[in-house]
Coordinates of all heavy atoms in Angstrom, one line a residue:
D1 N 2.2 18.8 -14.2 CA 0.9 18.9 -14.9 C 0.1 17.7 -14.7 O 0.5 16.7 -14.0 CB 1.1 19.2 -16.4 CG 1.9 18.2 -17.1 OD1 2.2 17.1 -16.5 OD2 2.4 18.4 -18.2
E2 N -1.1 17.7 -15.2 CA -2.1 16.7 -15.0 C -1.6 15.3 -15.5 O -1.8 14.3 -14.9 CB -3.4 17.1 -15.6 CG -4.5 16.0 -15.4 CD -5.9 16.5 -16.0 OE1 -5.9 17.6 -16.6 OE2 -6.8 15.7 -15.9
Q3 N -1.0 15.4 -16.7 CA -0.5 14.1 -17.3 C 0.5 13.4 -16.5 O 0.5 12.2 -16.3 CB 0.0 14.4 -18.7 CG 0.5 13.1 -19.4 CD 1.0 13.4 -20.8 OE1 1.1 14.6 -21.2 NE2 1.4 12.4 -21.6
K4 N 1.5 14.2 -15.9 CA 2.5 13.6 -15.1 C 1.9 13.0 -13.8 O 2.3 11.9 -13.3 CB 3.6 14.6 -14.8 CG 4.8 14.0 -14.0 CD 5.9 15.0 -13.9 CE 7.1 14.4 -13.1 NZ 8.2 15.4 -13.0
L5 N 0.9 13.7 -13.2 CA 0.3 13.2 -12.0 C -0.4 11.9 -12.3 O -0.4 11.0 -11.4 CB -0.6 14.3 -11.4 CG 0.0 15.5 -10.8 CD1 -1.0 16.5 -10.4 CD2 0.9 15.1 -9.6
R6 N -1.1 11.8 -13.4 CA -1.8 10.6 -13.7 C -0.8 9.4 -13.9 O -1.1 8.3 -13.5 CB -2.6 10.8 -15.0 CG -3.8 11.7 -14.8 CD -4.7 11.7 -16.1 NE -5.9 12.5 -15.9 CZ -6.9 12.6 -16.7 NH1 -6.8 11.9 -17.9 NH2 -7.9 13.4 -16.5
M7 N 0.3 9.6 -14.5 CA 1.3 8.6 -14.7 C 1.8 8.1 -13.3 O 2.0 6.9 -13.0 CB 2.5 9.1 -15.5 CG 2.1 9.3 -17.0 SD 3.5 10.0 -17.9 CE 4.7 8.7 -17.8
E8 N 2.1 9.1 -12.4 CA 2.6 8.7 -11.1 C 1.5 8.0 -10.3 O 1.8 7.0 -9.6 CB 3.0 10.0 -10.3 CG 4.3 10.6 -10.9 CD 4.6 11.9 -10.1 OE1 3.9 12.3 -9.2 OE2 5.7 12.4 -10.4
N9 N 0.3 8.4 -10.5 CA -0.8 7.7 -9.8 C -0.9 6.2 -10.2 O -1.2 5.3 -9.4 CB -2.1 8.4 -10.1 CG -3.2 8.0 -9.1 OD1 -3.0 7.6 -8.0 ND2 -4.5 8.0 -9.6
A10 N -0.8 6.0 -11.5 CA -0.8 4.6 -12.0 C 0.3 3.8 -11.5 O 0.1 2.6 -11.1 CB -0.8 4.6 -13.6
Q11 N 1.5 4.3 -11.4 CA 2.6 3.6 -10.8 C 2.4 3.3 -9.4 O 2.7 2.2 -8.9 CB 3.9 4.4 -11.0 CG 4.3 4.6 -12.4 CD 5.6 5.5 -12.6 OE1 6.0 6.0 -11.6 NE2 6.1 5.6 -13.8
L12 N 1.8 4.2 -8.6 CA 1.6 4.0 -7.2 C 0.5 2.9 -7.0 O 0.6 2.1 -6.1 CB 1.1 5.3 -6.5 CG 2.2 6.3 -6.3 CD1 1.6 7.6 -5.8 CD2 3.3 5.8 -5.4
K13 N -0.5 2.8 -7.9 CA -1.5 1.8 -7.8 C -0.9 0.4 -8.0 O -1.2 -0.6 -7.3 CB -2.6 2.1 -8.8 CG -3.6 3.2 -8.4 CD -4.7 3.4 -9.4 CE -5.7 4.5 -8.9 NZ -6.8 4.6 -9.8
E14 N 0.0 0.3 -9.0 CA 0.7 -1.0 -9.3 C 1.5 -1.4 -8.1 O 1.5 -2.6 -7.7 CB 1.6 -0.9 -10.5 CG 0.8 -0.7 -11.8 CD 1.7 -0.5 -13.0 OE1 3.0 -0.6 -12.8 OE2 1.3 -0.4 -14.1
E15 N 2.2 -0.5 -7.5 CA 3.0 -0.8 -6.3 C 2.2 -1.2 -5.1 O 2.5 -2.1 -4.4 CB 3.9 0.4 -5.9 CG 4.9 0.1 -4.8 CD 5.8 1.3 -4.5 OE1 5.6 2.4 -5.1 OE2 6.6 1.2 -3.6
L16 N 1.0 -0.5 -4.9 CA 0.1 -0.9 -3.9 C -0.4 -2.3 -4.0 O -0.5 -3.1 -3.1 CB -1.0 0.1 -3.8 CG -2.1 -0.2 -2.8 CD1 -1.5 -0.1 -1.4 CD2 -3.3 0.9 -2.9
D17 N -0.8 -2.7 -5.3 CA -1.3 -4.0 -5.5 C -0.2 -5.1 -5.2 O -0.5 -6.1 -4.6 CB -1.7 -4.2 -7.0 CG -2.9 -3.3 -7.3 OD1 -3.7 -3.0 -6.3 OD2 -3.2 -3.0 -8.5
R18 N 1.0 -4.8 -5.6 CA 2.1 -5.8 -5.3 C 2.4 -5.9 -3.8 O 2.5 -7.0 -3.3 CB 3.4 -5.3 -6.0 CG 4.6 -6.3 -5.8 CD 5.7 -5.8 -6.7 NE 6.1 -4.5 -6.3 CZ 6.9 -4.1 -5.3 NH1 7.3 -5.1 -4.5 NH2 7.2 -2.9 -5.1
I19 N 2.4 -4.8 -3.1 CA 2.7 -4.8 -1.7 C 1.5 -5.4 -0.9 O 1.7 -6.1 0.1 CB 3.0 -3.4 -1.2 CG1 4.4 -2.9 -1.8 CG2 3.1 -3.4 0.3 CD1 4.8 -1.6 -1.3
S20 N 0.3 -5.2 -1.4 CA -0.8 -5.8 -0.7 C -0.8 -7.3 -0.7 O -1.1 -8.0 0.3 CB -2.1 -5.3 -1.3 OG -2.3 -3.9 -1.2
S21 N -0.3 -7.9 -1.8 CA -0.2 -9.3 -1.9 C 0.9 -9.9 -1.0 O 0.7 -10.9 -0.4 CB 0.1 -9.8 -3.4 OG 1.4 -9.2 -3.8
I22 N 2.0 -9.1 -0.8 CA 3.0 -9.5 0.1 C 2.5 -9.4 1.6 O 2.8 -10.3 2.4 CB 4.3 -8.7 -0.1 CG1 4.8 -8.8 -1.5 CG2 5.3 -9.0 1.0 CD1 6.0 -7.9 -1.8
A23 N 1.7 -8.3 1.8 CA 1.2 -8.1 3.2 C 0.3 -9.3 3.6 O 0.3 -9.7 4.8 CB 0.5 -6.8 3.3
A24 N -0.5 -9.8 2.7 CA -1.4 -10.9 3.0 C -0.6 -12.1 3.5 O -1.0 -12.9 4.3 CB -2.3 -11.2 1.8
K25 N 0.6 -12.3 2.9 CA 1.4 -13.5 3.2 C 1.9 -13.4 4.6 O 2.0 -14.4 5.4 CB 2.5 -13.6 2.2 CG 3.5 -14.7 2.5 CD 4.7 -14.7 1.5 CE 5.7 -15.8 1.9 NZ 6.8 -15.8 0.9
Y26 N 2.4 -12.2 5.0 CA 3.1 -12.0 6.3 C 2.1 -11.8 7.5 O 2.4 -12.2 8.6 CB 4.1 -10.9 6.2 CG 5.4 -11.3 5.5 CD1 5.5 -11.0 4.1 CD2 6.4 -12.0 6.1 CE1 6.6 -11.3 3.4 CE2 7.5 -12.4 5.4 CZ 7.6 -12.0 4.0 OH 8.7 -12.4 3.3
I27 N 1.1 -11.0 7.2 CA 0.2 -10.5 8.3 C -1.1 -11.3 8.4 O -1.7 -11.4 9.5 CB -0.1 -9.0 8.1 CG1 1.3 -8.3 8.0 CG2 -0.9 -8.5 9.3 CD1 1.1 -6.8 7.8
G28 N -1.5 -11.9 7.3 CA -2.7 -12.7 7.4 C -4.0 -12.0 7.1 O -5.1 -12.6 7.2
R29 N -3.9 -10.8 6.7 CA -5.1 -10.0 6.3 C -4.8 -9.0 5.3 O -3.6 -8.6 5.2 CB -5.8 -9.4 7.5 CG -4.9 -8.6 8.4 CD -5.7 -8.2 9.7 NE -4.9 -7.4 10.6 CZ -4.1 -7.9 11.5 NH1 -4.0 -9.2 11.7 NH2 -3.4 -7.1 12.3
P30 N -5.7 -8.5 4.5 CA -5.4 -7.5 3.4 C -4.7 -6.3 4.0 O -5.0 -5.8 5.1 CB -6.8 -7.2 2.8 CG -7.6 -8.3 3.2 CD -7.2 -8.8 4.5
F31 N -3.8 -5.7 3.2 CA -3.0 -4.6 3.6 C -3.9 -3.3 3.7 O -3.7 -2.5 4.5 CB -2.0 -4.3 2.5 CG -1.1 -3.2 2.9 CD1 -0.2 -3.3 4.0 CD2 -1.0 -2.0 2.1 CE1 0.6 -2.2 4.3 CE2 -0.2 -1.0 2.5 CZ 0.7 -1.1 3.5
S32 N -5.1 -3.3 3.0 CA -5.9 -2.1 3.1 C -6.6 -2.0 4.4 O -7.0 -0.9 4.8 CB -7.0 -2.2 2.0 OG -7.8 -3.4 2.1
R33 N -6.7 -3.1 5.2 CA -7.3 -3.0 6.5 C -6.3 -2.4 7.6 O -6.7 -2.1 8.7 CB -7.7 -4.4 7.0 CG -8.8 -5.0 6.1 CD -9.2 -6.3 6.7 NE -10.1 -7.0 5.8 CZ -10.5 -8.3 6.0 NH1 -10.1 -8.9 7.1 NH2 -11.3 -8.9 5.1
L34 N -5.0 -2.3 7.2 CA -4.1 -1.8 8.2 C -4.0 -0.3 8.2 O -4.4 0.3 7.2 CB -2.7 -2.4 7.8 CG -2.5 -3.9 7.8 CD1 -1.1 -4.2 7.3 CD2 -2.7 -4.5 9.2
P35 N -3.6 0.3 9.2 CA -3.3 1.7 9.2 C -2.3 2.0 8.1 O -1.4 1.3 7.8 CB -2.8 2.0 10.6 CG -3.3 0.9 11.4 CD -3.3 -0.3 10.6
S36 N -2.4 3.2 7.5 CA -1.6 3.5 6.3 C -0.2 3.5 6.6 O 0.6 3.1 5.8 CB -2.1 4.9 5.8 OG -1.9 5.9 6.7
I37 N 0.3 4.1 7.7 CA 1.7 4.2 7.9 C 2.1 3.6 9.3 O 3.1 2.9 9.4 CB 2.2 5.7 7.8 CG1 2.0 6.2 6.4 CG2 3.6 5.8 8.2 CD1 2.4 7.6 6.2
Q38 N 1.4 3.9 10.3 CA 1.8 3.6 11.7 C 1.8 2.1 11.8 O 0.9 1.4 11.3 CB 0.8 4.2 12.7 CG 0.9 5.7 12.7 CD 2.2 6.3 13.0 OE1 2.9 5.7 13.8 NE2 2.6 7.3 12.3
P39 N 2.7 1.5 12.6 CA 2.8 0.1 12.8 C 1.7 -0.4 13.8 O 1.2 0.4 14.6 CB 4.2 -0.1 13.4 CG 4.5 1.2 14.0 CD 3.8 2.2 13.2
I40 N 1.4 -1.7 13.7 CA 0.5 -2.3 14.7 C 1.1 -2.3 16.1 O 2.2 -2.7 16.2 CB 0.1 -3.7 14.2 CG1 -0.6 -3.6 12.9 CG2 -0.8 -4.4 15.2 CD1 -0.9 -5.0 12.3
A41 N 0.3 -2.0 17.1 CA 0.8 -2.0 18.4 C 0.0 -3.1 19.2 O -1.2 -3.2 19.1 CB 0.5 -0.7 19.2
A42 N 0.8 -4.0 19.8 CA 0.1 -5.1 20.5 C -0.6 -4.5 21.7 O -0.2 -3.5 22.3 CB 1.2 -6.1 21.0
S43 N -1.7 -5.2 22.1 CA -2.6 -4.7 23.1 C -1.9 -4.6 24.5 O -2.1 -3.6 25.2 CB -3.8 -5.6 23.3 OG -3.4 -6.9 23.6
S44 N -1.0 -5.5 24.8 CA -0.3 -5.5 26.1 C 1.1 -5.0 26.0 O 1.8 -5.0 27.0 CB -0.3 -6.9 26.6 OG 0.4 -7.8 25.7
L45 N 1.6 -4.6 24.8 CA 3.0 -4.2 24.6 C 3.1 -2.9 24.0 O 2.2 -2.5 23.2 CB 3.8 -5.3 23.8 CG 3.7 -6.7 24.3 CD1 4.4 -7.6 23.3 CD2 4.4 -6.8 25.6

């Protein structure tokens, strides 16, 4: 139902905020600028 979906949505937002901070440490730019799932491909590789 709608209440359960809202609870799951809130949990996903918290996880996204935490992972975004880790991504900035390793990649050097905000996680939101990256493609959602696919990995980065080097231009020559």
Side-chain angles (χ1 to χ4, degrees):
D1 53 15
E2 182 180 357
Q3 182 179 2
K4 186 173 182 179
L5 290 175
R6 289 188 178 186
M7 293 175 61
E8 292 179 353
N9 192 32
Q11 294 176 354
L12 290 174
K13 286 183 177 180
E14 292 179 0
E15 186 177 2
L16 176 62
D17 293 339
R18 179 175 58 82
I19 293 181
S20 297
S21 62
I22 299 176
K25 174 181 178 181
Y26 286 96
I27 304 177
R29 49 186 181 273
F31 184 65
S32 59
R33 298 181 187 176
L34 300 174
S36 58
I37 296 178
Q38 297 299 325
I40 297 178
S43 58
S44 59
L45 303 174

